[in-house]
Amino acid sequence: MLDTGVPDLAQVLDALGSSLLRPLTVLPEGPVPVSGVLIFEPRAPLPSVRDAILLAVGVGTAETRAKELVDAAAGVGYACLVVKSFGEPAAELAEAAQRSGIVLLAADEAVAWHHLDAMISTALASTVRFERAAGAPAVGDLFALANAIAGMVGGATVIEDPHRRILAYSTLPGQAIDEGRRQGILGLQVPDGPDYDEVYRALVKAGRTCRFPAFRGGLPRLGVVVRAGNEELGSIWVVDAEGSLDAAAEQALSDVADIVSLHLLAARTADDAVRRRRADLLRRLLADPSSVTAVAPQLGLDPNLPVAVAAFAVVSSKADDVLAAHAATRLADLVSLHCEAHYGRHGCALIDGTVYALLPSGPSPKAHHELVADIARRAHGALRVPIQAGLGSLVPGLRSIASSRADADLVLRALTDRPGEHRPCQVATIDEVWAGATLSALAQILAAHDALPRSLGPAVRAHDLEHGTTYADTLLAYLDADGDFAAASQRLSVHPNTIRYRLSRAEEIFGFDLADPDERLVLWLRLRLGDQVGW
């Protein structure tokens, strides 16, 4: 039977488990509908969203503003408020919440706020739920599904995506877990390590339920890959704490994989909708930084904290535009995934083939560069196409991101225009490519000035094309070598006297004077930037 279509707070708490969220107030006897989850932003007006869960980030339970937030949230109709006490007393705040009629929850202090946001969002992914006599979870309810699998197979269960992010985990009492699983749940990510890498390779290769022995103090497991057709959607892992899971348990896990694929597809659809919304918000912010007051709270960002813009692009020729467009879409997914893992769901946006991401100020000046380089390397490895990434300057707040974006775009142009560079993965900041970035900026300025003479560059190249000469290449080699005939001749694999003859003939044909430093500079710019400015 179709119900109201709105999740109930009790369902959310059941799905997430008491170790993650515990009530500080008495839960109402009737249902408490939940419409979504928001992060509190102290510098912005409190959004009026009825029945939402509000995450009170940075608000101490003993602070005066905590009680003020309780009253304000209750006044606009929030379902509940989530706090972290960190050892502070919460009794008075709980009493205030009880009087105001809002549920107060305490979150596990070891879980990052953006991870908590992600887990609650996952629990709320199913917007329409069905009552089933057998108690089967509704499609998209991954936490309830994990509990169902744990009960059916007989061990603590986790469901993961292909990137080893933990999407849901079981919370049935009495089922043992090990330290590896505990750390994975707290970070919503399977720990890195060669042992884990080998296990996942074996699982994907097998394509069926596999048994894996314990390693490094862990417990044995059963695992199976979840697929939709040939696409890998994730995996299911069940702890075999006592080594008692038999062939029937293996078969049950194999049988449930098809059901899990439907749930993962539904959950991915919900995640895609969230990402699209955040991408739209980021596009709005990049196009109009003055919208920061309205957009920043929805992205969960403090508009006054330092931020940088990173830009990623697939390197392609015009011959493979369709493939490049498909790769750019996949690149956006990868960038979004990695940025969420580091900073939470601030969003990334694909705009005219370039993927932009916001990077809040990191723990060290090199943190952004290391992250961008890591994402670019992983994207190149996954997509098998050349990737370029430009990191804009760190700016003091969201109102200045246009400057950081301009820097990132300029870096990408400088990497594209860099002569002789065909590396599969290139990453740079504006300071690292300042010379090339300056030339790219200059090319844009020159291209906008129609009054400047433009005949020389095309004239030299046209003459070469018509007569089979190489004056353009010879001039560039000579000027790039700073007038060194030996270096220019080595670059072109000809005798230095050949260089001298060609330069003399070019001066006669085209009427310039290589002895004049101004003419040398302008000539070099015309030949170096000719393709960009139409010279």
Side-chain angles (χ1 to χ4, degrees):
M1 181 179 70
L2 187 66
D3 70 3
T4 61
V6 179
D8 177 58
L9 179 59
Q11 292 176 305
V12 175
L13 296 180
D14 286 343
L16 297 180
S18 59
S19 63
L20 187 66
L21 288 173
R22 59 184 178 86
L24 296 179
T25 55
V26 178
L27 295 179
E29 294 183 2
V32 179
V34 177
S35 61
V37 57
L38 286 85
I39 295 178
F40 172 64
E41 169 50 59
R43 294 180 179 86
L46 186 65
S48 180
V49 182
R50 292 197 62 82
D51 300 329
I53 295 175
L54 183 63
L55 306 183
V57 178
V59 179
T61 55
E63 296 179 20
T64 302
R65 63 171 178 162
K67 293 182 181 179
E68 295 173 349
L69 182 59
V70 162
D71 292 337
V76 295
Y78 279 82
C80 70
L81 185 71
V82 181
V83 297
K84 291 185 180 181
S85 65
F86 293 102
E88 293 182 352
E92 292 186 8
L93 185 63
E95 291 176 3
Q98 197 76 50
R99 288 194 301 269
S100 297
I102 188 172
V103 175
L104 184 66
L105 303 175
D108 185 336
E109 294 158 10
V111 180
W113 282 112
H114 63 274
H115 287 159
L116 181 61
D117 179 23
M119 284 188 280
I120 295 175
S121 296
T122 301
L124 295 172
S126 177
T127 57
V128 177
R129 298 174 181 269
F130 292 83
E131 295 178 357
R132 300 167 185 249
V139 172
D141 194 343
L142 291 178
F143 282 89
L145 180 60
N147 277 332
I149 296 171
M152 178 174 58
V153 179
T157 300
V158 293
I159 300 173
E160 302 171 11
D161 72 3
H163 303 281
R164 306 186 198 176
R165 291 192 308 169
I166 294 178
L167 301 175
Y169 53 89
S170 63
T171 56
L172 298 185
Q175 292 187 333
I177 65 172
D178 55 24
E179 183 60 22
R181 185 192 163 188
R182 181 180 180 278
Q183 292 300 322
I185 290 173
L186 289 177
L188 283 183
Q189 180 73 46
V190 175
D192 291 327
D195 293 332
Y196 289 101
D197 293 342
E198 181 59 35
V199 163
Y200 279 88
R201 280 194 294 268
L203 184 68
V204 172
K205 184 177 181 180
R208 54 177 172 77
T209 298
C210 296
R211 288 184 178 271
F212 296 99
F215 57 85
R216 291 192 297 178
L219 294 171
R221 282 170 169 73
L222 300 182
V224 67
V225 171
V226 179
R227 288 188 172 94
N230 294 324
E231 182 181 2
E232 181 187 346
L233 298 179
S235 56
I236 315 167
W237 298 87
V238 178
V239 173
D240 187 5
E242 300 177 359
S244 59
L245 299 185
D246 55 14
E250 291 185 25
Q251 186 60 50
L253 189 57
S254 293
D255 292 341
V256 82
D258 288 337
I259 299 173
V260 174
S261 70
L262 296 177
H263 286 254
L264 290 183
L265 287 171
R268 188 170 68 178
T269 300
D271 281 344
D272 287 346
V274 171
R275 285 198 178 119
R276 284 195 299 271
R277 177 174 175 273
R278 292 180 184 272
D280 289 342
L281 290 170
L282 181 54
R283 289 189 192 95
R284 177 182 173 188
L285 189 59
L286 290 171
D288 180 18
S290 65
S291 66
V292 62
T293 302
V295 173
Q298 299 180 69
L299 289 175
L301 289 171
D302 183 338
N304 299 310
L305 288 182
V307 66
V309 175
F312 302 80
V314 173
V315 182
S316 66
S317 65
K318 292 183 179 180
D320 53 11
D321 279 346
V322 175
L323 293 177
H326 177 66
T329 301
R330 294 185 62 197
L331 176 62
D333 291 337
L334 288 171
V335 173
S336 179
L337 174 69
H338 288 287
C339 287
E340 283 179 15
H342 281 78
Y343 300 113
R345 296 184 174 185
H346 301 325
C348 75
L350 176 60
I351 304 174
D352 296 330
T354 300
V355 180
Y356 296 96
L358 289 182
L359 309 180
S361 181
S364 72
K366 296 182 179 179
H368 285 162
H369 192 289
E370 292 171 354
L371 174 62
V372 170
D374 181 57
I375 294 174
R377 284 193 298 269
R378 291 176 182 269
H380 170 64
L383 303 179
R384 302 298 180 187
V385 294
I387 299 293
Q388 291 178 341
L391 178 58
S393 302
L394 190 69
V395 293
L398 290 178
R399 291 174 180 83
S400 304
I401 63 168
S403 173
S404 186
R405 178 192 178 180
D407 283 350
D409 286 336
L410 200 54
V411 172
L412 287 184
R413 283 196 294 272
L415 292 175
T416 300
D417 298 336
R418 185 181 283 177
E421 289 282 359
H422 300 287
R423 288 181 293 165
C425 184
Q426 298 183 76
V427 179
T429 66
I430 193 73
D431 293 331
E432 292 170 332
V433 292
W434 64 268
T438 301
L439 287 177
S440 295
L442 181 59
Q444 288 182 294
I445 296 172
L446 294 175
H449 286 264
D450 295 331
L452 293 175
R454 298 165 181 265
S455 60
L456 185 56
V460 175
R461 297 189 185 280
H463 185 282
D464 285 344
L465 184 62
E466 181 179 352
H467 298 90
T469 54
T470 56
Y471 290 125
D473 289 342
T474 302
L475 285 165
L476 266 177
Y478 171 76
L479 294 170
D480 285 344
D482 198 22
D484 187 330
F485 285 102
S489 65
Q490 185 177 11
R491 176 176 175 179
L492 297 177
S493 300
V494 298
H495 195 277
N497 286 340
T498 302
I499 300 291
R500 291 187 175 91
Y501 173 76
R502 290 178 183 174
L503 295 180
S504 176
R505 285 290 296 145
E507 286 181 304
E508 293 176 9
I509 295 172
F510 302 108
F512 54 75
D513 182 6
L514 287 175
D516 186 321
D518 290 342
E519 291 197 25
R520 285 200 307 272
L521 174 61
V522 175
L523 177 61
W524 180 79
L525 286 172
R526 283 174 163 175
L527 292 172
R528 172 69 174 80
L529 305 178
D531 292 339
Q532 299 177 59
V533 300
W535 283 356

